[in-house]
Amino acid sequence: ILGAVREHVHDPHQLLTSVQEVLRPGGLIFLSVPNFACDEQKQFGEDWDALSFPHHLLHFTPVTLRRLVEAHGLQVQELRINSRASWVRRSYNQVLARDDVKGLKRLWTKVRRLRPFIQLKSWWSARRKQGNCLFLIAQRPMSKTVNKPVRSSAA
């Protein structure tokens, strides 16, 4: 299980190569990473919590995450787009921490970060496949042949 790990490593190809070496044929790998293609990234821009510079070195979209995993010979079993309400709240908090957010914009931001609004926004984003979190399950093929990764510039 690699929950919120891949965006922190310098070389995700090396990480997947290492995982594949210890993964038995038919074994599963579970990954979760922030979704760079989500609505929140567009809405919050530099205040999007999941950007988290310098901690998050890489960012993934559904396409780039799938491409990276498949480049290592793993078969994607499921790719889900979820939304985590706590990430939305932290993004609103980052907006409020800025000095240039004043008046009505500040008040409206405070209202939108209340729990019912956050939960509704998270639910709606996930329903529209625009959630802030990608969850992927991949399987190592049953054959014992290990495919060498094909590096691409997409990840």
Side-chain angles (χ1 to χ4, degrees):
I1 297 177
L2 297 173
V5 171
R6 305 228 356 247
E7 67 274 17
H8 296 274
V9 298
H10 289 279
D11 189 347
H13 289 285
Q14 180 58 46
L15 176 65
L16 280 178
T17 298
S18 298
V19 167
Q20 192 177 35
E21 287 172 0
V22 298
L23 197 61
R24 294 180 182 169
L28 297 174
I29 180 172
F30 299 84
L31 306 166
S32 70
V33 295
N35 179 13
F36 192 73
C38 73
D39 281 344
E40 290 163 38
Q41 190 278 328
K42 297 170 190 119
Q43 176 188 353
F44 291 108
E46 66 184 28
D47 292 318
W48 184 47
D49 182 62
L51 281 179
S52 190
F53 292 125
H55 306 291
H56 289 178
L57 304 172
L58 301 168
H59 295 90
F60 296 93
T61 67
V63 171
T64 59
L65 183 61
R66 177 183 291 274
R67 192 177 295 156
L68 178 64
V69 168
E70 289 175 346
H72 287 268
L74 299 169
Q75 298 169 341
V76 175
Q77 302 297 309
E78 183 176 350
L79 177 58
R80 242 185 290 151
I81 301 174
N82 297 325
S83 193
R84 296 189 179 183
S86 62
W87 294 3
V88 178
R89 177 180 276 278
R90 287 196 308 248
S91 294
Y92 279 121
N93 288 342
Q94 285 186 198
V95 170
L96 289 172
R98 291 179 33 201
D99 291 335
D100 63 334
V101 177
K102 298 183 191 295
L104 198 53
K105 183 177 180 182
R106 185 170 194 76
L107 177 63
W108 183 233
T109 301
K110 284 183 177 183
V111 168
R112 288 188 297 187
R113 76 179 182 134
L114 295 174
R115 177 168 277 160
F117 292 105
I118 296 283
Q119 289 174 333
L120 181 61
K121 179 175 179 41
S122 295
W123 174 82
W124 183 244
S125 293
R127 179 128 171 105
R128 292 178 33 252
K129 304 283 189 231
Q130 287 292 312
N132 58 22
C133 182
L134 301 175
F135 179 75
L136 182 136
I137 301 172
Q139 183 176 37
R140 181 172 176 187
M142 291 301 290
S143 81
K144 295 188 180 196
T145 306
V146 176
N147 295 337
K148 294 200 179 223
V150 178
R151 292 197 179 236
S152 73
S153 60

